[in-house]
Amino acid sequence: MAMAPRKPRNREILFDSVIALVFILVACVDLCDGATVVDVYRLIQYDMSGVPFGSRLASLNHHAASLHFSPHADLSRTVLLIPLRELNMSFVQEYIVASKPLGGLIFLLPQMFNSENKGGVGSNRDDGNKDLLKNVLAELEQILIHTNLPYPVYFAFEDDNIDNVLLDIKKNDASGQPATATTGGYKFVVSATEPKKVGSPPITNIQGWLAGLKTDGDSHQLPTIAIVASYDTFGAAPALSVGSDSNGSGIVALLEVARLFSLLYSNPKTRGQYNLLFGLTSGGPYNYNGTRKWLQSFDQRLRESIDYAICLDSIGSWENDLWIHVSKPPENAFIKQIMEDFSSVAEDLGFQVNLKHKKINISNSRVAWEHEQFSRLRVTAATLSELSTAPELLESTGGLIDGRQFVNEASIVRSVKLIAESLAKHIYGHQGKNVQIFADNSNLAVNPSYVRSWLDILSRTPRVAPFLSKDDPFITALKKELEDHTDEVHLQREVLDGMFTFYDSTTAKLNIYQVASVTFDLLLLLVLGSYLIVLFSFLVITTRGLDDLISLFRRPPSRKVKTA
Amino acid sequence: MTVFHFFNCAILTFGPHAVYYSATPLSEYDTLGTSVKAAVVYLATALVKLVCLATFLKVSESDSFDPYQEFLKALIGFIDVAGLYFALTQLTHRNISQNHKFQAVGLGWAFADSVLHRLAPLWVGARGLEFTWEYILQGLEANANLVLSISLAGLGSLMWLRKNKPKTLIPIIYLSAVIVATMPSITSYLRRGLGWHLPKVVGFELFTSLVMAFISWQLFAACQRPSA
């Protein structure tokens, strides 16, 4: 009949649709997120000459605790959520330096260190101890960079959500119950892939050439003056290393000097008889590796034609003193010339420039200042900086504490004036005369809004070299800016030398879940089981009678009684 | 604790239906077919309601209580009643007593409602790590819904299947039926208009379902007396 074949077909269709529905439902496995999702930034992970440093893991799935944990708790499966305000160095020493086992660490930084935060608004707490916090963070950063931590370490910024979570966690901890699988609490989950090595970390050097005035019949090549600044940074959290002072201030000063001299050089009547070479180098924190490769790419004639090079390093937060660091002895004629030019201009502008001499040790691979790379190739060079002593390796390289609010654009403006006037003195030969070429209110004045806008952009761009690909839009922007101010721009693409190896995975999202303990679920199961049993008994009694209920449990004996 | 929690909420939501079926004489008379047919009728009704809602209702941006929209929703809710009428009267059931027929229809109706409205959120939501009370409350709501559906089916069978009813009871029967049928509108008014939170609303639902069940039971018993 017609019914028989139709039934199986209907059943098949039903079966197929049920299968499809099951597949759809199974696919919706991980659709729900935690109540709170926070952006977190991972501590850097790198190897230096094979020795591992930094945080070696990225994914996290543990219960959370605060600093008020009970002293004998086992923390190897717990994440500690630590606000910077409550951090004390004894804890750091005890747990981090002594390598005690931990499930993970999350540091909560005040909003004032957040470069995305405009103007430092957002924290209504007392930031009177700003300097104290800055020092604590600086110390913490140095310790973290030089320690091997076999667990994930993340940085996050304070905001309402995570502050509430922290309060809750503190309350739980104070009641003596650490969060584990049986007692409930908060669970922190970061799902990140295993960090992989960054294959060939790229370094890109950008150079701009501004040609001087060549009078006809001039058989000698014109002398060149180089102005150089390194643009990359290194810090505890590579996604947050914006390096406003170190070396954002140097980059901004270089761009402004380039702009001013391009105005002067645009008119052949005011073009000097010196070529100007502007260099934005990468690989600064790693012993100025990029600068060395850049210099090695020069051809011999160019290298010999450089009269001197001025390197800029951190000129954004000084008050009254700047230092010129040199490696050639101060009696050298060129060094004397440089010092004379700079100090006379500085005197006119109302501050002081000091000379500091540090000999290079050829056998030591440590390159503390950029000018040392020039000196190793026999080019006279000096570094202009607000730092009086040479920083150690991976120190003062634009880390967490180097934010926009700690840089003073007025200092940068003064530095630009100093550099521009001193160079002009040398180029146009106004030795000894009190002439101001880049006077205020002239059309060659230093433009503070140019300085400010570039400083703002730089303070929002993390620039750790291994994570800046060679086609990064930031590098393209620098190239375009130099093209506006110079005649020729070249990009030199290299690979960072072998001593450093970096690992990726620098940002992630932290999911915070409030979980119930297993005992709660068991209790619920018990309650539901008893509810269903009571319901069952109630329904049997009301519809079939009490005897039926009893008979459900006593059937076998009653049969025996009957047969007997 | 995730799949465990899902399991807990699932037995809270669907357990009572199974318990009801096995505890009452419904299982003895094998009325499963009736329940299944009632479930299918519910699905069809839900589809029709969806189409009507989509056609006649406009999407409101705010979550406030709009009387006109709610009135329209209540009208469309009466399609439910029409579906129940169809299930009770038009479907050919095997020879089951009226007593069991309305129970089976109500059971099938409530089960389909729970599956359609509560299974998907439960599957997606209760298995996550985050713990909320939402799914437990949803399960309690399913229980209240079961009781309400059975009461409505009972009142419906009184209205349409029983021919000789005491005259005095007829208005009460119709009134109770109207109250039970408009329960969804009442709860949505409570939730949006008065701003009650979910636990309060669920508590109210449970309480009224028990009250209405008691009233329907009394009415049924009262109508049963003359014919018995």
Side-chain angles (χ1 to χ4, degrees), chain B residues 77-78 80-81 84 144-156 173-186 208-209 211-213 215-216:
Chain B
F78 276 103
D80 257 339
V81 181
L84 208 55
N145 198 9
L146 172 64
V147 178
L148 277 177
S149 299
I150 293 183
S151 329
L152 188 60
L155 290 170
I173 294 175
Y174 278 98
L175 183 66
S176 317
V178 164
I179 292 178
V180 175
T182 53
M183 272 310 285
S185 306
I186 298 175
T208 47
S209 65
V211 165
M212 294 315 294
I215 293 177
S216 334

Side-chain angles (χ1 to χ4, degrees), chain A residues 377-437:
Chain A
L377 291 170
R378 310 206 191 301
V379 178
T380 313
T383 303
L384 182 69
S385 175
E386 69 200 4
L387 302 168
S388 54
T389 48
E392 299 295 328
L393 181 64
L394 302 178
E395 197 188 322
S396 283
T397 48
L400 283 173
I401 52 169
D402 206 342
R404 175 69 179 89
Q405 62 272 40
F406 300 117
V407 180
N408 186 352
E409 59 197 50
S411 314
I412 303 182
V413 167
R414 281 195 294 170
S415 319
V416 169
K417 259 206 201 151
L418 171 69
I419 301 165
E421 293 281 2
S422 320
L423 287 179
K425 245 190 191 180
H426 189 91
I427 294 174
Y428 300 106
H430 296 136
Q431 264 59 326
K433 297 184 207 159
N434 184 9
V435 181
Q436 268 215 354
I437 299 184

Side-chain angles (χ1 to χ4, degrees), chain A residues 25 513-514 516 521 528 544, chain B residues 1 8 23 28 123 130-131:
Chain A
L25 289 177
Y513 298 103
Q514 188 162 22
D521 279 328
L528 287 177
R544 293 195 261 188
Chain B
M1 63 211 58
N8 279 344
E28 282 177 21
W123 176 259
E130 179 83 14
F131 174 76

Side-chain angles (χ1 to χ4, degrees), chain A residues 329-380:
Chain A
E331 299 76 39
N332 182 303
F334 276 122
I335 304 285
K336 269 182 151 172
Q337 182 73 68
I338 297 173
M339 267 318 287
E340 227 183 273
D341 289 334
F342 273 82
S343 30
S344 56
V345 173
E347 215 181 294
D348 290 338
L349 292 175
F351 54 85
Q352 201 180 345
V353 168
N354 314 301
L355 181 68
K356 197 136 190 222
H357 172 232
K358 177 179 173 290
K359 280 208 203 127
I360 306 179
N361 185 353
I362 302 276
S363 52
N364 185 0
S365 61
R366 168 76 186 130
V367 178
W369 296 110
E370 198 162 7
H371 70 264
E372 293 184 18
Q373 293 286 20
F374 284 84
S375 305
R376 281 170 196 239
L377 291 170
R378 310 206 191 301
V379 178
T380 313

Side-chain angles (χ1 to χ4, degrees), chain A residues 25-26 28-29 31-35 181 187 189 512-518 520-522 524-525 528 531-532 535-536 539-540 543-544, chain B residues 1-2 4-5 7-9 11-12 15-16 19-20 22-25 27-28 103 119-120 123-125 127-131 133 136 143:
Chain A
L25 289 177
V26 165
C28 310
V29 167
L31 271 188
C32 48
D33 283 327
K187 202 156 203 225
V189 178
I512 302 179
Y513 298 103
Q514 188 162 22
V515 291
S517 53
V518 171
F520 173 80
D521 279 328
L522 286 171
L524 189 63
L525 185 63
L528 287 177
Y531 164 67
L532 285 178
L535 187 66
F536 185 82
L539 286 172
V540 169
T543 53
R544 293 195 261 188
Chain B
M1 63 211 58
T2 57
F4 200 162
H5 190 62
F7 178 70
N8 279 344
C9 295
I11 58 179
L12 178 60
V19 163
Y20 192 91
S22 56
T24 58
S27 55
E28 282 177 21
Q103 282 181 45
L119 181 63
W123 176 259
V124 172
R127 288 184 316 133
L129 274 179
E130 179 83 14
F131 174 76
W133 288 100
I136 297 178
N143 281 330

